[in-house]
Amino acid sequence: MNPVEGHFGDQFIEAFDELLRWRRDVRHFKTDPIDDDVVEGILRSAELSPSVGNSQPWRWVDVRSPEPRAVVKETFMRCNADALNGYRGERAQKYLSLKLAGLDQAPVHIAVFCEDGTAQGHGLGRQTMPETLAYSVVTAIGSLWLAARARGVGVGWISIVEPDDVCAALDVPDGWRFVAYLCLGYPVQVESTPELERAGWQARTDPRARYFVR
Ligand SMILES: Cc1cc2nc3c(=O)[nH]c(=O)nc-3n(C[C@H](O)[C@H](O)[C@H](O)COP(=O)(O)O)c2cc1C
């Protein structure tokens, strides 16, 4: 492997593809703690992600106190009940059976925000497409997901929450946009197939259906 020559070698590529294959959205966690230096290492890796204008607009909030955790649980329960109302019949039964958050067991909770007003990057790129700031945060979350999995840590992304409730519970500065609430912990089971596929909700589909040539 010689990154300086621009190639990491076949073995690395194979291992990297395995990591991509085995990265999962995890909702079933062991309650064992994660060492602080492991969490720190995961965040340091995520910090290497690309961002528009090198703005690094991601802000990580390590949610440790029970009070904001309780608010997140409440907003999740409420939003999940609302979401269930949008389904009927068998789909509703199926939705009800899904576990869509591991909030109670995950030892580490990280709320991720985008600082929309950041001066870093001097506006490059985002003047024409302001949404690229939030896209940058999502690239960092993708890296975090992989960095965690490489260390044996599972990540679950929770989006079934009211952003205003999360912002208020965590008392974040005005201008921070909520992007994701992440649960981190060691998975109860390691899987190569998405949980929603195993539960019969949605399988992966043919990649060729998403590939176009013009
Ligand atoms: C933007 C985004 C939001 C998501 N929100 C939730 C969520 O609220 N609850 C949940 O259980 N999974 C959530 N997921 C995880 C997806 O359900 C999961 O990625 C998908 O089913 C594929 O499974 P895999 O990640 O294991 O490959 C989210 C994923 C993304 C990218």
Side-chain angles (χ1 to χ4, degrees):
M1 172 167 102
N2 188 351
V4 178
E5 284 177 8
H7 198 281
F8 284 75
D10 292 345
Q11 233 181 331
F12 176 85
I13 292 169
E14 215 171 289
F16 182 65
D17 284 349
E18 280 290 278
L19 178 62
L20 292 170
R21 255 191 297 279
W22 285 87
R23 179 215 50 80
R24 284 283 67 71
D25 186 85
V26 174
R27 298 134 185 144
H28 302 266
F29 297 100
K30 297 177 185 166
T31 52
D32 309 47
I34 311 174
D35 284 347
D36 284 349
D37 54 342
V38 172
V39 176
E40 172 86 15
I42 292 168
L43 291 173
R44 286 292 151 271
S45 293
E47 287 276 341
L48 300 173
S49 303
S51 59
V52 64
N54 215 9
S55 55
Q56 298 177 278
W58 43 76
R59 303 291 175 263
W60 318 104
V61 179
D62 187 346
V63 185
R64 298 189 181 196
S65 315
E67 295 82 5
R69 284 190 174 203
V71 172
V72 171
K73 178 79 190 288
E74 271 168 34
T75 177
F76 168 73
M77 300 287 281
R78 211 172 32 249
C79 293
N80 204 31
D82 287 350
L84 172 64
N85 277 332
Y87 297 106
R88 291 283 168 271
E90 254 179 57
R91 260 295 143 183
Q93 286 308 312
K94 184 67 91 183
Y95 187 87
L96 201 53
S97 73
L98 298 174
K99 181 169 167 59
L100 296 173
L103 288 163
D104 293 333
Q105 293 79 30
V108 175
H109 293 195
I110 296 178
V112 191
F113 296 86
C114 176
E115 186 175 345
D116 281 331
T118 185
Q120 188 169 330
H122 310 287
L124 190 150
R126 78 183 107 127
Q127 297 191 32
T128 25
M129 287 184 67
E131 62 274 29
T132 51
L133 267 188
Y135 295 169
S136 303
V137 177
V138 176
T139 69
I141 296 172
S143 305
L144 181 151
W145 223 329
L146 294 171
R149 184 66 188 86
R151 291 163 171 83
V153 173
V155 175
W157 181 326
I158 302 173
S159 54
I160 309 168
V161 287
E162 177 52 52
D164 288 347
D165 291 345
V166 181
C167 289
L170 297 173
D171 195 22
V172 296
D174 286 346
W176 282 26
R177 188 188 338 180
F178 172 73
V179 177
Y181 196 85
L182 305 178
C183 285
L184 276 70
Y186 292 101
V188 169
Q189 234 177 309
V190 174
E191 297 284 350
S192 63
T193 307
E195 181 162 335
L196 292 189
E197 181 161 348
R198 284 182 281 123
W201 178 266
Q202 176 64 64
R204 285 203 184 107
T205 52
D206 186 346
R208 285 171 302 185
R210 292 179 291 279
Y211 177 70
F212 307 93
V213 178
R214 290 285 183 276

